[in-house]
Amino acid sequence: MRPTREPQRAVILRGIFLLTAGITACTGAIGEPPIASTPVAQNDVVVVDGVVTSEAGTVTPAVDPQRVTIHRLNRAEYNNTVRDLLGTRTRPADEFPADDRGYGFDNIADVLSVSPLHIEQYDRAAEALVEEALGVPTVASQRWQLEAESLMGSVGAVSGAAWLLWSNGEVGGMVTLPAPGRYRLTVSAWQSRAGTEDARMGMELDGTALRTVMVPNLAASPGEFTAEFTVTRAGPVTVSATFENDFVGGTPSADRNLWVDFLRVEGPLGATGTPPPSRAQWLTCDPVAMGEDACAEQVLTRFGRRAWRRPLAQTEVRAVWSRFRAVTRMHAGTWDDAIKLSMRAMLLSPHFIYRVEIDSDRANPAPHAVTAHELAARLSYFLWSSMPDAELDRVADDGTLLQPAVLTAQAQRMLAHANAQALVQNFAGQWLYTRRLDEHDVNAALYPRYTAQIRDAMRQETEAFFGHFLQNDVSMSEFLTADYSFVDARMAGYYGVTPPSGAGLQRTALGAQRLGFLTQGTLLTVTSHADRTSPVKRGQWVLQQLLCAPPPAPPPNVEGLPTEMMVMGSVRQRLEAHATQPLCRSCHDLMDPIGFGLENFDAVGLHRTMEGRYPIDATGMLPDGTRFEGAQQLARIVSQDPRFARCVSQQMLTYALGRGLNENDDAQLAQLDGQWRSSGLRLRTLITQIVLSDAFRLRRAELGGM
Amino acid sequence: MKTSKISRRVVLGGAGVAVALPFLESLLSREARAQARPLPRRVLFYYTPCGINSSDGRGWSPAARGVGSAWALSRMLAPLGAALKPYTAVLSGLHNRPASASFGGTNDGAGDHARGTGCFLTSARLVKTDGTNIRNGISIDQAIAQRVGMMSRFPSLQVGTDAGSSAGDCDSGYSCAYARNVSWSSATTPLPKITSPRTLFDRLFAGMDPSATVAANARRRAYSTSVLDYVRGEATSLQTRMGPTDRRKLDEYLTAIREVELRIGMMEGMVCTPTPRPAATVPYPMLVDVMHDLLALSFRCDLTRVQTFMLGNAGSGRVFDFLGLTEGHHNLSHHMNNENNLTKLETIGTWEVRKFAELCNRLRMIDDGMGTNALDNTVCMFSSEIADGNSHAHTGLPLLSVGRGGGQITTDRHVDFGGQPIADYFIALAKIMGVTLPNFGAEGTRVLANLGPVSS
């Protein structure tokens, strides 16, 4: 998606385009060659921020790599990074605030910001992560006794030294656990008997049931019931006992109730001194034998190399260690405490939170290569949304990554690695809107066949389909026209095609009604409303996401038509009534025909020939006069549009660089487009070409004094 | 269609347990403290998406203007009830003109939802961009919090119900940053909101351990301070090697570090017993109630004096199935004067007012000492990103001001301001909170006249 970033003098050049192309707001259409996409550089000069970077009359313009703003890790990247750094299975970033998006993606450096809330959460996460990786339960086992008569239940009252639950409800309290680990909850309780069964009591942690027990005991001899649980973080938890089967009746009539005397929590359980395996991976020396400072330097140098994605200078390591050793000494902390505090600080440092790139000569505006370590980080965050692995680290350390042959080999190795699934979830998930499926509202009464399982199956289908193009080197010219997809038996039933043999997702023929990505459930659903289709949304999606030619926004004051023009009729008929207004037609003639072509699929992707009592009319006419009928013909037209291939490379380049593109990238895009086409539109080739491109390997300083 | 477990504790830990227990426990200390210092003033901003039609006869605007018995609650304001009417000022005729498409000589075209949301509390002219050069203005809650925020554990809180979609764009060429954030600590830094009850709870009560020893607290404080001090140094020295844009980004980081640093140690000595810890995710609409619990708790425990709450994001498409509706909110708001749509919109708006009223009633039940309750000392502003969702008007916004603000606002009235800027109302709120602002946003120049004692 093209942004509107305007470097200073380039505004003047751009103004010329706007004057000619802007007044007739919507120009260009499917089937025609692209308009007004001539790179500025081919005309005369490229003037960026006051600096001339190429000369008049140049045939092959120089590529201006520009620069990426210092790039904060987004949530997916943070989770993956700490997973690869520390082996944790927790996903701390799930609690961080949502990342803001720009240009269609949530990894755009300019848009990602840091607030006090972020800092608080980064710090808490860092503390917990280090504790989990190294922590030995140095906290002696403790005991908290909550006497029920001093608590307050949701129902009932104090009765002697206990709390009486006289109907279904719970009583509980909060304890602050000092360390992660295993704990034991004990509840003392008794019942009054009634009916044929005993009182049933649930034992809960933070509202989640740990255990349910029957309480046969009477007041004379209370029972003690235990349940164990594990927490991964120190902090407050709520423990409670719940009464679940209140009962009055029987002959003679009796009342079943539950008394709770106390709740007790003990822990952390287990032998102190059983370290997690990761401890030995990081603490590779013995401070007693080697000397505290020397061992600390060894540990932190290794940790820093991985955490900051580059080698640390000895001064940096010593600065960290001396500071935190001093602080912990003042508070009777151990060498262990100082190591943990150092690591916690290093995980809060900007060197971890951001991908730092330094221009060694800030006064020189000419493009220069990024360092091998910076390149390794760009590569791993592009392909894996995570930090480099040991192999990539090695070729960064010895500098060979800067050689194109090595860079190519690494890119291909990483694409074949399981971590490349990140491209499916993060690139395709946003480019194809797959991520929206989980949030999308569907009217369950109107669409009973759209269940949670179908929704999951849809997402898996799209992910597998994209993954197929990524991993199996299939040409993207088939993306919209493939006569197959990857579905399981349930999804095949939904589509009305012959189910595959075998379990799970299999490559399956799509039959006569569907063709390619445009007819997949995912797309058809997320571009609909909760209760009906939206040809406008579908048309706009295709134009914006597949052709990178979004229709301009509606002119001012056009939203909010004074009256509903036509109340009855199919969705198509009602839309066509609006588009009789000339101001609306120029854009709606671009969007609506695409949407009409997909009207054979309802708001949850099921095929239909009727909309209620209106027959579906899936014909369309494009602005250039091309007529088509149905999704298959439409898909072929879009697939052959030259803007499709270029748009895919544009989307991929935006995601790879983490910045919006502008006119100064036209030269780079033209190069990529040409190379990619001649290779047969294979995604791996595109990715490799991007990695080898100037825009990816180079950057230039931003002028502007201190 | 999210599947999430509903914690019974979440349901049961509502009004009963939440209010009663801590009230009893902390009553003594609160009384003691109340004698020693002036009554706390607080401000809360409550945002709703997609607009409410405030024109006469549409169910929102009370028919009569005046004070006391001279005016009555309209249909949509009925949930405020007799209990809250004495605290309520219905402010009609206030405009947020910088949110319009044409303002100050430029015409930015479509994007009224993002504009109305982004400048909901800033009343500034947004720069229309998808990302590169985001520019808004400081929001009024932050202008207040930056001066008075040091009095409490958190200078301000940003809370909401919707994190926002994880793909796609937000509104017509405006970055999602505008559409999802009403709180801006500077022209370029939005303050993200917390949308998970458990995350909010953990943030509020993290580090609060009544059983910790003095030595343990001192150690914890020292460790946190040293970590923040260290990373601040790292960022400062990194800045010297960067160009202007990167330096600005690191300024953001440094500002955030500084603010967290200033607040270390404020948790110790807290005498507020928190409610049980809620579940991580709670389905809508129960989520609204749980978040309200925590907002009220934050005021009662004096964890903050400034809050913003977003009941959704710009142009929200939420389907209110629990109200019997099947279309999305945004679609309905383009009602095209269809009576069915208008009725459904009134249903949504009335529900929103009911939720707001529930929160205000919780505040009314907090004893602030000296015979006052929290609603006597607080101002709660309820409004929406636009007025009529069909015309996307930014004039005559639907606006409720509930709470006496320490006696500074004349309540139990409906008044029409005839086109004054909402920024002047913001300046009045700042003055109530003890912050003098000579101007605010693009249009605010003075304390709004005729609002109450604050206006003189």
Side-chain angles (χ1 to χ4, degrees):
Chain A
M1 205 182 339
R2 286 301 176 84
T4 53
R5 175 173 181 262
E6 308 278 19
Q8 307 285 34
R9 308 247 186 97
V11 173
I12 300 165
L13 297 163
R14 183 160 169 71
I16 300 168
F17 287 113
L18 284 176
L19 269 178
T20 51
I23 295 177
T24 47
C26 298
T27 55
I30 300 177
E32 292 179 5
I35 293 179
S37 63
T38 315
V40 174
Q42 275 185 10
N43 287 339
D44 277 303
V45 292
V46 176
V47 182
V48 178
D49 284 344
V51 177
V52 175
T53 60
S54 83
E55 290 179 303
T58 312
V59 175
T60 35
V63 166
D64 177 8
Q66 301 179 74
R67 44 166 294 285
V68 186
T69 304
I70 186 171
H71 199 151
R72 198 205 87 195
L73 300 183
N74 69 18
R75 294 201 299 175
E77 291 166 349
Y78 186 99
N79 276 340
N80 292 345
T81 302
V82 298
R83 174 201 68 202
D84 292 341
L85 177 65
L86 298 167
T88 182
R89 289 222 181 95
T90 65
R91 295 169 53 86
D94 288 353
E95 295 198 13
F96 297 171
D99 297 316
D100 283 322
R101 265 200 315 283
Y103 313 107
F105 296 107
D106 64 3
N107 68 341
I108 302 299
D110 279 315
V111 180
L112 295 168
S113 58
V114 169
S115 66
L117 177 59
H118 283 100
I119 294 296
E120 278 180 42
Q121 293 186 319
Y122 286 151
D123 192 23
R124 280 183 66 212
E127 195 179 355
L129 286 167
V130 171
E131 196 59 43
E132 189 195 12
L134 297 192
V136 174
T138 55
V139 180
S141 197
Q142 294 175 41
R143 162 192 286 223
W144 299 262
Q145 182 107 341
L146 301 173
E147 293 292 332
E149 67 271 22
S150 64
L151 299 175
M152 183 174 273
S154 63
V155 73
V158 174
S159 168
W163 182 275
L164 162 62
L165 291 163
W166 56 51
S167 52
N168 288 351
E170 59 184 311
V171 61
M174 197 175 84
V175 297
T176 302
L177 302 179
R182 263 192 100 54
Y183 293 80
R184 180 183 304 122
L185 169 66
T186 307
V187 181
S188 168
W190 67 87
Q191 65 158 346
S192 58
R193 193 171 279 145
T196 52
E197 62 172 6
D198 294 320
R200 193 166 68 242
M201 179 174 78
M203 301 167 66
E204 293 192 347
L205 174 75
D206 282 340
T208 309
L210 295 173
R211 200 182 159 204
T212 307
V213 296
M214 306 310 287
V215 181
N217 312 65
L218 300 177
S221 58
E224 286 195 6
F225 305 88
T226 63
E228 294 194 358
F229 59 91
T230 306
V231 294
T232 55
R233 280 231 287 249
V237 295
T238 307
V239 290
S240 50
T242 64
F243 179 34
E244 302 188 351
N245 60 345
D246 185 40
F247 176 80
V248 175
T251 27
S253 183
D255 187 6
R256 180 191 304 145
N257 291 318
L258 183 72
W259 280 256
V260 176
D261 188 6
F262 61 78
L263 293 97
R264 181 166 63 221
V265 177
E266 298 162 284
L269 307 172
T272 57
T274 10
S278 47
R279 186 180 170 85
Q281 285 164 16
W282 290 111
L283 304 184
T284 48
C285 52
D286 177 5
V288 175
M290 195 177 176
E292 283 201 349
D293 291 342
C295 185
E297 271 182 44
Q298 178 176 315
V299 170
L300 294 178
T301 302
R302 262 187 75 230
F303 180 74
R305 168 66 187 88
R306 295 283 288 154
W308 291 4
R309 301 175 287 268
R310 61 165 174 84
L312 269 62
Q314 200 179 42
T315 48
E316 287 181 297
V317 178
R318 287 194 175 155
V320 173
W321 176 245
S322 59
R323 173 193 287 259
F324 293 112
R325 190 67 188 101
V327 164
T328 49
R329 272 215 179 93
M330 282 200 295
H331 294 269
T334 61
W335 180 88
D336 218 69
D337 291 336
I339 290 284
K340 285 183 189 169
L341 199 55
S342 304
M343 287 184 171
R344 168 183 160 190
M346 291 168 85
L347 290 179
L348 186 60
S349 162
H351 294 285
F352 174 74
I353 300 293
Y354 296 95
R355 288 190 257 147
V356 176
E357 293 182 356
I358 307 277
D359 302 301
S360 43
D361 181 0
R362 280 203 300 125
N364 182 356
H368 64 88
V370 302
T371 68
H373 294 103
E374 292 167 354
L375 186 59
R378 284 193 179 199
L379 186 59
S380 69
Y381 281 99
F382 172 28
L383 300 184
W384 288 352
S385 300
S386 187
M387 57 183 280
D389 65 352
E391 165 70 16
L392 187 57
D393 272 352
R394 194 178 55 76
V395 294
D397 282 340
D398 67 19
T400 54
L401 185 64
L402 294 172
Q403 299 162 14
V406 177
L407 183 56
T408 306
Q410 286 297 316
Q412 284 166 357
R413 173 183 76 88
M414 293 169 76
L415 275 174
H417 190 289
N419 282 3
Q421 187 67 9
L423 273 174
V424 176
Q425 275 153 1
N426 300 328
F427 174 72
Q430 292 179 87
W431 175 44
L432 302 176
Y433 281 26
T434 318
R435 280 188 183 179
R436 282 184 104 141
L437 209 47
D438 280 346
E439 309 147 357
H440 184 75
D441 272 330
V442 168
N443 185 318
L446 290 174
Y447 303 107
R449 289 185 68 186
Y450 182 83
T451 60
Q453 290 88 347
I454 287 291
R455 183 199 64 214
D456 290 342
M458 277 184 184
R459 188 184 353 96
Q460 286 161 14
E461 176 198 359
T462 301
E463 289 179 350
F465 188 72
F466 179 83
H468 167 67
F469 285 84
L470 182 65
Q471 295 300 347
N472 298 334
D473 239 13
V474 180
S475 169
M476 284 297 278
S477 60
E478 269 182 49
F479 193 70
L480 302 177
T481 55
D483 59 3
Y484 58 87
S485 187
F486 294 84
V487 296
D488 59 5
R490 171 181 281 131
M491 202 64 209
Y494 195 80
Y495 281 168
V497 300
T498 314
S501 54
L505 296 176
Q506 308 277 343
R507 179 169 166 150
T508 309
L510 280 177
Q513 293 168 349
R514 296 178 195 256
L515 196 70
F517 176 70
L518 287 182
T519 58
Q520 285 186 8
T522 305
L523 176 68
L524 297 165
T525 304
V526 299
T527 52
S528 298
H529 296 302
D531 57 346
R532 65 167 176 84
T533 59
S534 171
V536 175
K537 276 191 172 190
R538 287 177 176 173
Q540 190 199 18
W541 189 93
V542 170
L543 288 172
Q544 178 177 294
Q545 296 298 103
L546 295 185
L547 299 176
C548 294
N557 302 321
V558 84
E559 278 194 84
L561 296 170
T563 48
E564 169 92 67
M565 292 182 83
M566 185 172 170
V567 183
M568 307 294 290
S570 67
V571 165
R572 176 180 183 134
Q573 288 164 335
R574 281 148 60 196
L575 258 181
E576 281 176 326
H578 286 131
T580 53
Q581 303 248 343
L583 204 53
C584 308
R585 279 197 66 181
S586 57
C587 297
H588 273 276
D589 279 359
L590 293 182
M591 298 186 282
D592 296 0
I594 299 172
F596 294 154
L598 295 172
E599 272 290 277
N600 277 120
F601 300 96
D602 69 7
V604 291
L606 289 167
H607 189 265
R608 61 179 183 179
T609 49
M610 299 289 292
E611 179 197 338
R613 52 192 169 89
Y614 306 102
I616 294 289
D617 172 5
T619 60
M621 185 177 85
L622 301 172
D624 67 354
T626 313
R627 290 184 179 279
F628 65 90
E629 176 170 6
Q632 291 88 331
Q633 291 183 7
L634 174 68
R636 289 200 180 90
I637 293 171
V638 178
S639 181
Q640 284 156 16
D641 190 312
R643 289 176 296 178
F644 172 59
R646 191 178 159 98
C647 183
V648 176
S649 54
Q650 186 174 314
Q651 300 270 12
M652 186 71 81
L653 184 62
T654 304
Y655 180 82
L657 294 177
R659 65 170 173 81
L661 304 179
N662 56 39
E663 301 77 28
N664 299 317
D665 296 300
D666 283 350
Q668 182 70 81
L669 275 174
Q671 258 182 37
L672 287 171
D673 196 40
Q675 287 162 344
W676 190 37
R677 276 179 212 276
S678 56
S679 80
L681 296 185
R682 288 169 161 70
L683 276 181
R684 288 185 156 207
T685 310
L686 174 63
I687 288 172
T688 311
Q689 293 303 332
I690 286 178
V691 166
L692 289 171
S693 72
D694 282 355
F696 195 80
R697 292 178 308 110
L698 312 182
R699 60 179 275 136
R700 58 178 173 75
E702 185 189 22
L703 302 179
M706 207 31 188
Chain B
M1 289 182 66
K2 296 199 214 330
T3 50
S4 45
K5 277 187 278 191
I6 303 171
S7 161
R8 247 202 322 266
R9 172 58 76 188
V10 160
V11 178
L12 300 170
V17 183
V19 178
L21 179 60
F23 173 79
L24 293 167
E25 289 213 337
S26 64
L27 175 60
L28 212 56
S29 47
R30 187 166 282 287
E31 277 286 12
R33 279 186 287 149
Q35 306 299 342
R37 59 161 172 72
L39 297 168
R41 297 247 180 106
R42 311 173 189 82
V43 67
L44 186 153
F45 298 93
Y46 201 98
Y47 161 96
T48 59
C50 297
I52 291 176
N53 193 338
S54 52
S55 350
D56 289 340
R58 274 288 155 225
W60 168 270
S61 195
R65 292 170 179 69
V67 181
S69 54
W71 75 290
L73 295 172
S74 63
R75 274 199 316 271
M76 287 176 73
L77 298 182
L80 292 169
L84 289 176
K85 182 172 184 285
Y87 293 90
T88 300
V90 182
L91 309 181
S92 298
L94 288 177
H95 299 345
N96 196 2
R97 270 178 288 255
S100 311
S102 333
F103 178 80
T106 62
N107 190 324
D108 281 348
D112 285 292
H113 296 287
R115 269 199 299 270
T117 303
C119 77
F120 182 70
L121 295 180
T122 69
S123 199
R125 184 69 172 155
L126 307 182
V127 167
K128 183 167 190 174
T129 174
D130 209 1
T132 318
N133 48 345
I134 290 176
R135 190 154 198 92
N136 190 350
I138 189 173
S139 55
I140 189 63
D141 65 309
Q142 293 306 303
I144 293 170
Q146 283 171 11
R147 311 282 179 86
V148 310
M150 287 311 118
M151 288 202 279
S152 45
R153 166 89 174 95
F154 298 97
S156 65
L157 284 182
Q158 290 74 39
V159 182
T161 56
D162 293 348
S165 73
S166 50
D169 53 357
C170 283
D171 192 8
S172 307
Y174 283 92
S175 162
C176 289
Y178 295 129
R180 300 180 185 175
N181 302 293
V182 292
S183 252
W184 290 69
S185 62
S186 74
T188 50
T189 306
L191 295 183
K193 55 192 190 291
I194 298 183
T195 53
S196 151
R198 176 172 290 180
T199 304
L200 180 57
F201 180 95
D202 284 348
R203 182 177 193 220
L204 294 175
F205 298 109
M208 186 176 103
D209 188 355
S211 63
T213 63
V214 171
N217 276 335
R219 180 171 62 235
R220 197 186 164 81
R221 228 184 306 130
Y223 285 7
S224 294
T225 304
S226 71
V227 167
L228 290 170
D229 194 48
Y230 165 72
V231 299
R232 180 159 46 78
E234 291 282 280
T236 309
S237 87
L238 188 55
Q239 268 189 326
T240 61
R241 309 166 73 190
M242 312 237 112
T245 304
D246 287 352
R247 273 206 299 282
R248 275 198 300 278
K249 270 292 186 199
L250 284 175
D251 271 341
E252 232 175 42
Y253 176 93
L254 284 165
T255 306
I257 294 277
R258 188 88 198 109
E259 182 175 306
V260 176
E261 255 182 323
L262 287 171
R263 294 193 261 125
I264 289 180
M266 287 194 78
M267 285 306 284
E268 298 152 30
M270 286 287 315
V271 287
C272 189
T273 308
T275 57
R277 190 168 176 244
T281 57
V282 176
Y284 208 96
M286 205 180 311
L287 174 64
V288 183
D289 300 329
V290 178
M291 290 311 220
H292 281 180
D293 276 352
L294 292 170
L295 292 179
L297 187 59
S298 312
F299 274 166
R300 181 159 38 76
C301 295
D302 212 16
L303 292 170
T304 187
R305 303 273 175 94
V306 178
Q307 292 179 0
T308 55
F309 182 71
M310 292 184 76
L311 192 62
N313 294 324
S316 161
R318 178 173 292 282
V319 177
F320 289 87
D321 47 7
F322 55 93
L323 297 177
L325 301 176
T326 56
E327 300 103 315
H329 193 178
H330 179 230
N331 284 352
L332 281 173
S333 72
H334 283 277
H335 52 76
M336 294 189 278
N337 289 308
N338 173 304
E339 269 311 309
N340 273 340
N341 292 343
L342 289 166
T343 307
K344 292 173 183 173
L345 282 174
E346 198 178 300
T347 305
I348 294 176
T350 310
W351 177 83
E352 291 173 338
V353 173
R354 179 171 324 119
K355 289 291 129 186
F356 177 66
E358 286 169 6
L359 178 57
C360 293
N361 273 321
R362 274 196 178 69
L363 299 186
R364 188 168 59 83
M365 302 214 271
I366 295 174
D367 181 3
D368 264 357
M370 309 234 284
T372 66
N373 64 53
L375 209 50
D376 289 317
N377 301 316
T378 305
V379 184
C380 302
M381 180 190 101
F382 171 104
S383 187
S384 188
E385 44 167 287
I386 46 181
D388 174 33
N390 207 38
S391 61
H392 281 183
H394 297 282
T395 53
L397 292 167
L399 205 146
L400 298 178
S401 182
V402 177
R404 297 206 169 105
Q408 293 295 301
I409 295 190
T410 306
T411 54
D412 200 356
R413 72 201 271 245
H414 172 208
V415 54
D416 190 324
F417 286 96
Q420 299 297 305
I422 194 176
D424 285 351
Y425 171 66
F426 293 157
I427 292 177
L429 294 182
K431 184 175 172 193
I432 291 174
M433 295 295 289
V435 179
T436 306
L437 295 176
N439 52 54
F440 187 76
E443 293 197 299
T445 52
R446 58 184 185 140
V447 173
L448 185 64
N450 194 22
L451 184 63
V454 66
S455 306
S456 47

